């Protein structure tokens, strides 16, 4: 019992020191490396005493810390003209609460919360700079995500409809929230780094936002005589490579139980594309091109279109299996991949977890959809880009298609090396 008690007190002290170190480094006048450990330990001891004497001890401790903060700020106002923010004050109250939570809650959660407080305090400049860089359009994007995830999603019925009993409005919109969130994450990463993005970062951000949109943007740029077509081809290839990471992320979120089956062939595809991209990187050159302006992915119209596509794909998958057997799903994968790989990935993963599709056929349906999308990008490059870009994209993505077809054809069904890991 004493060992556990000292462990709790040690964690409390460590978290207080961590946050106090950061505040001391930032020259906080109110509290620093000595005060924060004392505040956190006070919270922990108050919670320990509350076991014997009741919860009023914690409440009294919280009120006492609040009074100290108020008095400290009053004295500072009397002695200085400049008024700083309330960050340190709030951090003190929060660390007191985290110290108290350590006694009755999870130490892992408390450590995560304490580390988060320290990181947030340290990232003041980065966060303020990010807010300064975003505009009204970006604030609207965040609000639209809130509407999509917290207003629309809760009111949708969580039951299935239709002849195949697969259309669930709540689940469909949940997939919309997932895809919009991933795309918005990439979009804000672009807002933070887009102006400085080189080929690797530009392609990676493009893959998170939309690899197809990235293909269109860079293909159009190559119509200019000064455009670096090898650089454009590399960015498109990297965006397509990250799209496979995005597929694995989506499967991890919606169907983690099947990741052991899905991951190995897709990791093989990722490694193949990484090698091809590495060779292309050697020949890319550099003319200082900036990443093209990215569209805001959190549009309600975009969300509705994806929801419609996802619903059609999951219904078409069930119908194709009914009329044509599981082989009919390959046709759905090809057609869906021309428009949206996310839809075929999420719908197939759902059907795999429910047992409606054989696991080894399921990952092949997803891969066929991804390869169909890559073939579509070659066509886009030919129509929208220069002849030089088309030649390079046809070679690079053509090698990817050959490798993908080989994996479809030769991958052994009994190979399931990652099942124990996931």
């Amino acid at each position: 019992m004493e060992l556990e008690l000292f462990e709790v007190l040690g964690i409390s002290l460590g978290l207080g020191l961590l946050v106090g170190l950061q505040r001391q480094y930032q020259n906080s006048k109110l509290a620093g490396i000595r005060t924060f450990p004392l505040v956190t330990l006070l919270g922990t001891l108050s919670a320990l005493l509350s076991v014997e004497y009741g919860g009023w001890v914690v409440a009294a401790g919280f009120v006492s810390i609040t009074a100290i903060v108020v008095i400290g700020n009053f004295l500072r106002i009397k002695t200085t003209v400049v008024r700083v923010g309330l960050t340190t004050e709030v951090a003190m109250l929060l660390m007191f609460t985290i110290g108290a939570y350590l006694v009755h809650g999870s130490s892992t959660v408390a450590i995560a919360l304490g580390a988060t407080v320290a990181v947030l305090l340290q990232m003041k400049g980065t966060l303020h700079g990010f807010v300064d860089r975003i505009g009204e359009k970006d604030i609207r994007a965040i609000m639209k995500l809130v509407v999509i995830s917290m207003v629309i999603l809760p009111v949708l019925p969580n039951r299935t409809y239709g002849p195949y009993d697969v259309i669930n409005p709540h689940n469909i919109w949940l997939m919309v929230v997932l895809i919009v969130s991933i795309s918005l994450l990439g979009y804000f990463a672009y807002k933070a780094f887009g102006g400085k993005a080189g080929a690797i970062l530009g392609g990676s951000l493009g893959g998170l936002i939309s690899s197809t949109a990235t293909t269109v943007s860079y293909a159009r740029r190559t119509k200019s005589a000064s455009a670096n077509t090898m650089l454009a081809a590399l960015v498109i290839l990297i965006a397509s490579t990250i799209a496979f990471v995005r597929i694995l992320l989506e499967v991890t979120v919606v169907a983690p139980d099947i990741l052991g089956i899905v991951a190995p062939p897709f990791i093989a595809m990722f490694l193949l594309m990484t090698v091809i991209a590495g060779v292309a990187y050697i020949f890319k050159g550099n003319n200082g091109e900036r990443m093209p302006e990215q569209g805001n992915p959190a549009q309600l119209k975009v969300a509705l279109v994806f929801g419609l596509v996802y619903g059609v794909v999951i219904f078409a998958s069930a119908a194709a299996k009914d009329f044509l057997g599981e082989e009919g799903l390959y046709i759905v994968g090809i057609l869906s991949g021309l428009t949206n790989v996310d839809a075929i990935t999420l719908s197939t993963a759902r059907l795999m977890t429910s047992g409606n599709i054989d696991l080894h056929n399921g990952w092949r349906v997803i891969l066929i959809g991804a390869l169909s999308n890559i073939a579509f990008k070659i066509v886009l490059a030919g129509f929208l880009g220069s002849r030089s870009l088309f030649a390079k994209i046809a070679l690079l993505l053509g090698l990817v298609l050959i490798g993908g077809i080989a994996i479809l054809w030769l991958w052994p069904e009994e190979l399931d090396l990652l099942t124990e890991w996931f």
Side-chain angles (χ1 to χ4, degrees):
M1 180 64 183
E2 287 187 1
L3 183 61
E4 293 179 358
L5 180 59
F6 277 113
E7 181 181 349
V8 169
L9 291 171
I11 294 173
S12 177
L13 176 63
L15 292 174
L17 285 170
L18 175 65
V19 177
L21 174 65
Q22 196 284 330
R23 288 288 83 191
Q24 188 79 34
Y25 181 77
Q26 294 294 330
N27 296 318
S28 170
K29 304 299 182 184
L30 183 63
I33 196 167
R34 293 183 301 165
T35 306
F36 268 96
L38 294 175
V39 169
T40 311
L41 284 171
L42 177 61
T44 301
L45 290 173
S46 297
L48 288 171
L49 290 172
S50 71
V51 176
E52 183 71 23
Y53 299 106
W56 68 267
V57 180
V58 176
F62 189 84
V63 170
S64 300
I65 293 296
T66 304
I68 292 171
V69 169
V70 171
I71 294 171
N73 274 316
F74 175 76
L75 295 176
R76 291 171 64 202
I77 293 173
K78 297 287 287 184
T79 58
T80 182
V81 177
V82 180
R83 176 69 180 99
V84 295
L86 296 174
T87 305
T88 301
E89 293 86 331
V90 174
M92 289 177 64
L93 297 176
L94 181 57
M95 292 308 297
F96 173 88
T97 308
I98 291 174
Y101 173 79
L102 260 172
V103 176
H104 303 293
S106 165
S107 60
T108 302
V109 174
I111 292 171
L113 287 172
T116 301
V117 171
V119 170
L120 285 174
L121 292 173
Q122 183 61 33
M123 291 181 66
K124 173 184 177 181
T126 302
L127 294 173
H128 286 194
F130 171 74
V131 173
D132 291 339
R133 282 193 296 272
I134 65 176
E136 183 181 351
K137 179 179 70 173
D138 306 314
I139 297 296
R140 287 202 303 268
I142 296 173
M143 294 302 106
K144 286 177 181 176
L145 178 62
V146 171
V147 171
I148 290 171
S149 59
M150 299 183 183
V151 177
I152 298 177
L153 180 63
V155 301
L156 291 175
N158 190 9
R159 51 163 297 189
T160 55
Y161 298 89
Y164 295 103
D165 212 30
V166 293
I167 302 300
N168 184 315
H170 185 273
N171 285 345
I172 289 175
W173 201 255
L174 186 62
M175 298 303 101
V176 171
V177 172
L178 172 63
I179 296 305
V180 171
S181 298
I182 293 174
S183 299
L184 198 60
L185 175 65
Y187 174 74
F188 280 114
Y190 156 76
K191 296 294 291 186
F193 306 108
K196 301 174 285 186
I200 296 176
L201 182 57
S204 300
L205 295 177
L208 278 177
I209 301 170
S210 170
S211 59
T212 303
T214 301
T215 301
V216 171
S217 297
Y218 275 89
R220 286 174 174 167
R221 287 159 66 99
T222 60
K223 288 293 188 179
S224 168
S226 61
N228 185 336
T229 56
M230 192 64 211
L231 177 64
L234 176 61
V235 172
I236 293 171
L237 174 58
I238 293 174
S240 301
T241 304
I242 296 301
F244 279 82
V245 178
R246 179 169 169 146
I247 288 172
L248 288 176
L249 175 61
E250 292 167 3
V251 173
T252 302
V253 172
V254 303
D257 293 341
I258 65 170
L259 194 59
I261 297 291
V262 175
F266 280 86
I267 291 175
M269 281 296 301
F270 173 78
L271 294 176
L272 169 66
M273 297 176 74
T274 300
V275 170
I276 296 173
V279 175
Y281 184 82
I282 298 174
F283 300 98
K284 77 175 177 66
N286 189 8
N287 62 355
E289 288 194 33
R290 294 168 61 91
M291 187 176 178
E293 183 72 26
Q294 298 294 308
N296 186 339
Q299 299 289 345
L300 192 57
K301 179 180 177 182
V302 174
L304 290 171
V305 169
F306 176 79
L308 177 62
V309 170
Y310 176 77
V312 169
V313 168
I314 198 169
F315 179 81
S317 298
K321 182 186 176 184
D322 184 33
F323 286 101
L324 304 173
E326 292 201 351
E327 290 73 13
L329 297 174
Y330 299 147
I331 300 174
V332 177
I334 293 173
L335 296 177
S336 176
L338 296 176
T339 57
N340 196 300
V341 180
D342 296 323
I344 190 65
T345 298
L346 295 170
S347 60
T348 304
R350 287 278 191 179
L351 293 173
M352 290 169 71
T353 55
S354 64
N356 291 325
I357 301 178
D358 177 76
L359 296 180
H360 295 285
N361 285 338
W363 72 256
R364 285 181 167 85
V365 172
I366 298 174
L367 182 54
I368 286 173
L371 295 178
S372 173
N373 188 258
I374 287 175
F376 182 56
K377 289 170 185 170
I378 297 176
V379 175
L380 283 176
F383 275 103
L384 301 176
S386 65
R387 291 184 179 180
S388 176
L389 175 70
F390 176 67
K392 293 179 176 64
I393 285 294
L395 173 62
L396 296 173
L397 294 187
L399 292 173
V400 173
L401 287 176
I402 293 171
I405 292 172
I407 288 177
L408 285 171
W409 187 264
L410 301 174
W411 194 268
E413 290 194 1
E414 66 273 11
L415 185 58
D416 185 12
L417 299 178
L418 299 185
T419 299
E420 295 183 0
W421 297 0
F422 292 98

